[in-house]
Amino acid sequence: MARWVNQPSFSVPPLQKSGKNLKVCLGRGPGRNSQSSQGVSRSSMRWMHRIGKKLKSLAQEPMALFDYFEPDPPVRCLKCSAGVIWGWQEKPSKSGLFLWRQGIASPIDQLVDDECKIEEARRDAVRLSPNDGLQIYYGDCDRCGETFPYRLPLEITGDTWTGFFESETVRMAAEIESGWLQCPECRDAHYLEEGHNMLVCLNCGILLIKKQK
């Protein structure tokens, strides 16, 4: 027996973002035996030289790239209900700041300067791997700026992103009546606003995704 629950507005804490890129600019320092016009001591110069070598080694380390993902249909904001979540990210094994759209096998774009883009034929040959266990995250609402608080596991059929699948915090929910989704865990029913395909079960705290018929 389903218990019917109205869906009020609520706020959930956003994910903490991290891992911003750091650009290090290194200049050529004075020669080993040169005198500094600023009166810098030799010990200070040696210290600056060691720091410079450390920064140079960090700058030469390869940076981990990520890709952007565009669900279709788009995911609506759980907080304001009016905005669309955009800017979804994940790091596939063959990432290169590509833009992936649900339902299309190859990236639709590469979000870098034109001179840095790979040839279109090479981009069209790039595919997502079902073995990567991809979960998109860090999407933000284009209206209120709220960060979507759940990671969405991608369903890869063949080599094409076709939808989402379940995880510990995400469940597929059946529409038991027009506009009402039933949580498979607690059996509560929640009203799904028009134009939305996801909501949060207020009893379980899990994200419910409308199951496609």
Side-chain angles (χ1 to χ4, degrees), residues 119-173:
E119 297 86 351
E120 187 172 348
R122 289 179 58 195
R123 191 191 74 204
D124 289 343
V126 179
R127 295 290 187 270
L128 293 172
S129 171
N131 300 322
D132 283 349
L134 302 176
Q135 299 185 58
I136 58 175
Y137 54 94
Y138 285 168
D140 295 321
C141 177
D142 62 0
R143 293 287 187 91
C144 69
E146 183 79 1
T147 300
F148 199 81
Y150 294 87
R151 290 174 177 257
L152 300 180
L154 301 190
E155 181 179 31
I156 309 295
T157 303
D159 55 10
T160 303
W161 169 29
T162 55
F164 305 105
F165 65 87
E166 296 182 326
S167 68
E168 291 183 0
T169 57
V170 177
R171 292 287 189 275
M172 297 296 170

Side-chain angles (χ1 to χ4, degrees), residues 98-114:
F98 297 120
L99 174 61
W100 300 86
R101 180 174 294 162
Q102 182 177 341
I104 301 178
S106 60
I108 63 173
D109 199 357
Q110 189 176 17
L111 304 183
V112 296
D113 294 336
D114 289 342

Side-chain angles (χ1 to χ4, degrees), residues 1-3 165-176 180-190 197-211:
M1 180 67 67
R3 183 161 59 94
F165 65 87
E166 296 182 326
S167 68
E168 291 183 0
T169 57
V170 177
R171 292 287 189 275
M172 297 296 170
E175 186 176 22
I176 56 176
W180 290 87
L181 296 187
Q182 186 174 41
C183 175
E185 297 294 323
C186 67
R187 314 305 292 177
D188 283 358
H190 303 271
N197 58 356
M198 301 182 188
L199 56 81
V200 175
C201 175
L202 299 181
N203 185 41
C204 301
I206 62 177
L207 181 71
L208 303 180
I209 301 179
K210 182 180 177 180
K211 186 181 298 184

Side-chain angles (χ1 to χ4, degrees), residues 8-27:
S9 60
F10 64 96
S11 176
V12 282
L15 293 170
Q16 298 297 317
K17 295 189 177 182
S18 62
K20 294 184 178 179
N21 293 338
L22 173 65
K23 183 177 181 181
V24 179
C25 298
L26 299 176

